[in-house]
């Protein structure tokens, strides 16, 4: 079986490279594809094989997705918070160094998070039973916390409410793959349009370590990454972006430490979703829902297998991310940034049309407009995650 | 933390993860019988009994398809079966709810 699993790991890593580097192609999309074809695949292979592909893909994705976020300004919802400090370094010629910082966060937080899984397995059921009746209120407090810490509070509130209304409409509609056009518009196309209009010039990139971070900042960022990534896994509808917004306030992480924090939260959030399935029988992200569709349950042996897979994949993904980021750093000078942005923009539009039809295009247009508001007003873009949070809060409170 | 240190930690992760995966994989079940709800293939053999028909479907010939309804499927015919994997006398069989 070990050879089967290792082949699945390799396939998963390849898929993760594809989803991580291609703006707009989220792991949820490929996971749904694997599930829908599982009746055919299961004639030739095992359910564990397919689940291993999804998990390897998910872990690889959390390492590599910082590359398009930083170099192309085309993040997915999990890395949206890394765009600003990442872009700042890119325009100082330090795009590779920004990726290195997110990789440090991802790898070290992955190790810490695997080490504390036995504790989380004991603590999660107790915490969840204490909080489950108050989830709606807790989410509300978290949202209030995120809005109040924003320097543009009124705009933050407006963005949250408007995106929440959009989320309510889209998620209750008949649109196929509703998250794709909604999140791609808010966090992908809006950022690309702004960079196109601003006609940005990317300077020559240096693939050397330049940014130095103090030991204290490292510790704060790593603890923040593991704590926030694990804690938000308990809550439905809250993801890496919200966790990052909360931890900057809680842990007072500074700009470059923030990249470590975001990288860490992203990876931890994915791994801990396996623990919530094992302890609470609740799948907290799309890829894990897909795993549960195939496996139906995760026992202790499977949890250990998946943790070992995460460890192996995390190691390989670290090496891959650093090498691929060097290629990106070189390529970004050679090719016209505006052309790349335009190509990605049309690619996302084509995908939205393919997956969600003309109504998907309408959703893409509205969510793009919403995504532009925080960039113009200076409010935090993560407030647009109201599109997922508001429907969840209303579900629990009403 | 420089690139070299990162690469050393990354390789350590792979080296540590492999034996853990090998040991843990000895205790894990590869398949969850509940997951298979539909199978498609070509009829290889049909054995009709008094109350039950047993169909061997390629490529999944190791698990026979069992139907309690009257069936007139023929050898070489492509079929899609909706149903559930069940264990009977210690052997797995796919009990059909619907044959298409």
């Amino acid at each position: 079986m070990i050879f089967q699993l290792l082949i699945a790991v390799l396939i998963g890593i390849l898929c993760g490279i594809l989803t991580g580097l291609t703006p707009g192609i989220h792991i949820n999309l490929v996971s749904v594809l694997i599930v829908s074809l599982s009746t055919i695949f299961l004639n030739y292979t095992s359910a564990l094989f397919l689940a291993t592909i999804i998990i390897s893909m998910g872990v690889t994705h959390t390492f590599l997705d910082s590359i398009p976020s930083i170099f192309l300004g085309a993040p997915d919802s999990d890395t949206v918070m890394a765009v600003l400090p990442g872009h700042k370094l890119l325009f100082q010629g330090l795009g590779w160094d920004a990726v290195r910082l997110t990789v440090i966060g991802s790898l070290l937080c992955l190790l810490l998070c695997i080490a504390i899984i036995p504790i989380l397995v004991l603590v999660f059921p107790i915490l969840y039973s204490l909080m489950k009746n108050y989830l709606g209120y807790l989410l509300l407090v978290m949202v209030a916390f995120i809005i109040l810490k924003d320097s543009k509070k009124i705009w933050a509130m407006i963005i949250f409410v408007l995106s929440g209304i959009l989320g309510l409409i889209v998620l209750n509609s008949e649109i196929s793959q509703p998250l794709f056009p909604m999140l791609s518009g808010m966090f992908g196309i809006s950022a690309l349009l702004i960079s196109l209009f601003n006609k940005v010039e990317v300077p020559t990139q240096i693939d050397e370590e330049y940014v130095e971070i103090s030991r204290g900042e490292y510790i704060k960022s790593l603890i923040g990454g593991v704590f926030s990534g694990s804690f938000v896994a308990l809550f439905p509808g809250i993801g890496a972006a919200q966790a990052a917004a909360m931890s900057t306030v809680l842990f007072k992480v500074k700009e470059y430490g923030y990249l470590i924090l975001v990288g860490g939260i992203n990876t931890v959030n994915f791994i801990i979703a396996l623990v919530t399935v094992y302890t609470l029988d609740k799948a907290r992200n799309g890829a894990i829902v897909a795993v549960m569709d195939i496996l139906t349950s995760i026992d202790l042996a499977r949890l250990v297998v998946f943790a070992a897979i995460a460890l192996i994949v995390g190691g390989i993904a670290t090496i891959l991310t650093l090498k691929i980021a060097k290629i990106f750093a070189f390529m970004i000078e050679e090719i016209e940034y505006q052309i790349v942005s335009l190509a990605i923009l049309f690619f996302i539009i084509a995908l939205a049309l393919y997956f969600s039809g003309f109504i998907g295009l309408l959703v893409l247009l509205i969510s793009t407009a919403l995504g532009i508001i925080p960039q113009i007003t200076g409010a935090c873009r993560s407030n647009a995650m109201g599109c997922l949070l508001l429907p969840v809060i209303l579900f629990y409170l009403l | 933390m420089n690139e070299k240190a990162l690469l050393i930690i990354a390789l350590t992760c792979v080296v540590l993860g492999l034996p853990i995966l090998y040991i843990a994989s000895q205790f894990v079940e590869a398949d969850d019988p509940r997951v298979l709800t539909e199978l498609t293939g070509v009829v290889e053999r049909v054995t009709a009994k008094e109350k039950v028909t047993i169909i061997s479907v390629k490529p999944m010939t190791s698990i026979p398809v069992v139907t309690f309804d009257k069936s007139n499927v023929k050898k070489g015919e492509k079929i899609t079966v909706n149903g559930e994997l069940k264990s009977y006398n210690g052997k797995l069989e796919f009990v059909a709810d619907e044959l298409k």
Side-chain angles (χ1 to χ4, degrees), chain B residues 5-87:
Chain B
L6 262 177
L7 293 180
I8 291 169
I9 298 172
L11 288 173
T12 311
C13 283
V14 179
V15 172
L16 273 175
L18 283 171
I20 299 173
L21 179 63
Y22 177 74
I23 296 164
S25 66
Q26 308 296 311
F27 300 95
V28 79
E29 276 181 42
D31 272 304
D32 195 323
R34 285 170 296 172
V35 77
L36 192 62
T37 55
E38 184 185 276
L39 71 88
T40 302
V42 178
V43 176
E44 192 185 49
R45 192 173 58 244
V46 182
T47 313
K49 295 189 176 176
E50 199 180 329
K51 289 179 181 169
V52 67
T53 304
I54 300 166
I55 308 161
S56 176
V57 180
K58 263 195 216 172
M60 212 165 164
T61 47
S62 58
I63 301 173
V65 172
V66 174
T67 175
F68 297 99
D69 299 328
K70 209 169 184 182
S71 167
N72 46 15
V73 292
K74 292 183 183 79
K75 190 179 172 182
E77 203 178 331
K78 191 180 178 189
I79 58 166
T80 298
V81 192
N82 288 308
E84 198 180 355
L85 265 181
K86 285 185 178 167
S87 177

Side-chain angles (χ1 to χ4, degrees), chain A residues 168-192:
Chain A
L168 279 169
I169 296 167
V170 171
L171 296 175
N172 289 305
S173 70
E174 299 288 314
I175 304 171
S176 127
Q177 303 284 352
L179 290 181
F180 181 77
M182 192 165 70
L183 296 180
S184 299
M186 274 180 196
F187 301 109
I189 292 195
S190 57
L192 286 169

Side-chain angles (χ1 to χ4, degrees), chain A residues 1-2 5-6 42-44 46-48 96 100 104 107-108 111 209 218 293-297 301-302 304-305 308-309 311-312 315 318-319 326, chain B residues 1-4 6-7 9-11 13-14 16-18 20-22 24-32 34-40 59-60:
Chain A
M1 186 194 286
I2 183 84
L5 289 178
L6 290 177
L42 285 171
N43 288 327
Y44 306 97
S46 68
L48 189 65
W96 180 82
R100 177 182 67 94
I104 290 174
L107 183 66
L108 298 188
L111 284 171
E209 296 116 25
Y218 262 121
D293 276 349
I294 296 168
L295 280 181
T296 69
S297 70
R302 280 176 174 166
V304 178
V305 163
I309 286 167
L311 203 59
I312 296 166
T318 298
I319 300 165
K326 282 191 179 178
Chain B
M1 181 174 287
N2 60 25
E3 191 183 358
K4 197 178 167 191
L6 262 177
L7 293 180
I9 298 172
L11 288 173
C13 283
V14 179
L16 273 175
L18 283 171
I20 299 173
L21 179 63
Y22 177 74
S25 66
Q26 308 296 311
F27 300 95
V28 79
E29 276 181 42
D31 272 304
D32 195 323
R34 285 170 296 172
V35 77
L36 192 62
T37 55
E38 184 185 276
L39 71 88
T40 302
M60 212 165 164

Side-chain angles (χ1 to χ4, degrees), chain A residues 308-326:
Chain A
I309 286 167
L311 203 59
I312 296 166
V313 174
I316 298 171
T318 298
I319 300 165
L320 283 172
T321 310
L322 292 173
K323 299 291 172 201
I324 294 171
K326 282 191 179 178

Side-chain angles (χ1 to χ4, degrees), chain A residues 121-150:
Chain A
V121 165
L122 297 173
V123 170
F124 266 17
I126 302 166
L127 267 179
Y128 187 71
S129 66
L130 285 173
M131 295 190 301
K132 69 178 175 187
N133 294 328
Y134 309 102
L135 271 181
Y137 298 103
L138 282 167
L139 288 172
L140 208 58
V141 171
M142 281 189 186
V143 168
F145 179 74
I146 293 168
I147 291 174
L148 288 174
K149 78 116 208 174
D150 204 304

